[in-house]
Amino acid sequence: MCIRDRDIINKFPEKYSDEYRLSNGTVVLSNKKMFEVNGLKVIIDGFVIPRNQVFNEYRSVSQYDMVLSLFMKHGVNFGRYLKGFFCILIAEAERITIINDIHSVKRCYISKIKQDYLISNDITALKPFSGFKIDPMAPAVQALLQHFAGGLTMFEDIGYSAPASVIKISHDRIESDKYYESSDFIKLNRGMVSENDFHEVFRNSINNYIEYIKPCLLYTSPSPRDRTRSRMPSSA
């Protein structure tokens, strides 16, 4: 949860006990542990693994160290090198960056209250402030598409982050962008892919999933002193 109004902050449940304040007054409230590496704080809701092209580099690195390493190398486009279902928050001294996965399975919800934007990965956390007023268009969208799309929810004053969203909060600005578009495939201008090529990529992907995730079945506590063995959060 990112917010600045102290009166609103005080209304949040006690479970949002971890607090981190930026220099511009923006506050991050969390009911998950915020891990700090090299002066950067990170929260990962969900799970991530490295994509095939960087797997060898990060195969034995915890997800927290991997995310921050990729962030340092590639900036807000670090999501291009991750697979999984995730909503990730990285807090620097004067900026917050939030991204989610390319399918928006994990997402954050956004609502404007007074002069603040409330951004949360838990829509129920917004209920005390939004009122959850039903959008009269929501039933039509749900009936037509069988799901909500385009950042729309069933509530009038709450939207959600689109697939592959990048939300940047700095000073008095909130900017939204994307680190991935489906049209990127067209720009690659690749030739025909054989059935064997597909099998090879698919086999590598499955093997990489198994290799990276398997340690979390044995070690479930991602403590800083044992992050290399336990790569996933205990809630993943």
Side-chain angles (χ1 to χ4, degrees):
M1 175 67 64
C2 305
I3 190 172
R4 280 181 292 181
D5 191 310
R6 174 52 63 179
D7 290 336
I8 294 178
I9 291 172
N10 291 336
K11 294 179 183 178
F12 274 91
E14 291 184 1
K15 67 177 183 179
Y16 292 93
S17 57
D18 279 8
E19 180 176 320
Y20 178 70
R21 182 177 294 274
L22 275 67
S23 60
N24 69 343
T26 298
V27 173
V28 177
L29 296 177
S30 176
N31 61 347
K32 293 180 178 291
K33 181 66 177 177
M34 297 181 70
F35 287 89
E36 183 172 358
V37 180
N38 297 327
L40 300 176
K41 293 182 179 289
V42 60
I43 301 172
I44 301 176
D45 179 24
F47 76 95
V48 296
I49 73 167
R51 287 197 173 272
N52 291 0
Q53 66 265 39
V54 296
F55 185 81
N56 287 335
E57 183 178 358
Y58 294 104
R59 68 194 312 156
S60 60
V61 178
S62 77
Q63 62 170 2
Y64 301 95
D65 293 318
M66 174 181 63
V67 162
L68 291 173
S69 173
L70 290 171
F71 178 73
M72 296 291 288
K73 289 182 179 180
H74 306 286
V76 296
N77 289 320
F78 73 97
R80 286 177 170 267
Y81 302 90
L82 299 174
K83 291 190 292 187
F85 301 143
F86 54 83
C87 185
I88 299 173
L89 180 148
I90 297 177
E92 303 171 80
E94 298 185 356
R95 184 176 71 172
I96 292 172
T97 300
I98 303 172
I99 75 165
N100 65 335
D101 61 79
I102 63 173
H103 303 292
S104 199
V105 173
K106 289 288 187 177
R107 58 185 62 171
C108 58
Y109 299 91
I110 305 167
S111 181
K112 191 174 189 302
I113 308 295
K114 298 182 180 179
Q115 300 301 313
D116 273 320
Y117 283 91
L118 307 189
I119 304 174
S120 176
N121 63 332
D122 179 8
I123 194 170
T124 62
L126 303 179
K127 185 175 182 179
F129 313 103
S130 73
F132 277 19
K133 185 177 180 181
I134 300 295
D135 187 336
M137 293 295 294
V141 174
Q142 178 70 20
L144 181 63
L145 302 177
Q146 300 301 307
H147 62 86
F148 291 106
L152 301 175
T153 70
M154 64 185 299
F155 305 112
E156 278 189 344
D157 56 349
I158 299 178
Y160 72 84
S161 56
S165 282
V166 177
I167 300 173
K168 294 175 287 185
I169 305 169
S170 59
H171 300 290
D172 294 324
R173 299 184 62 184
I174 297 179
E175 300 175 284
S176 180
D177 201 352
K178 286 190 172 186
Y179 64 83
Y180 167 84
E181 294 277 4
S182 57
S183 59
D184 292 345
F185 279 117
I186 299 175
K187 297 174 184 177
L188 293 175
N189 196 28
R190 288 179 176 171
M192 294 294 292
V193 177
S194 70
E195 184 177 342
N196 288 335
D197 291 336
F198 177 81
H199 287 169
E200 182 66 21
V201 171
F202 188 77
R203 181 166 50 248
N204 288 340
S205 295
I206 295 300
N207 289 337
N208 291 348
Y209 266 111
I210 294 172
E211 179 181 341
Y212 195 82
I213 293 176
K214 189 176 181 179
C216 80
L217 301 178
L218 301 175
Y219 307 99
T220 59
S221 177
S223 63
R225 57 180 177 164
D226 199 18
R227 287 196 306 264
T228 56
R229 291 195 302 172
S230 177
R231 301 188 189 123
M232 300 296 166
S234 57
S235 60

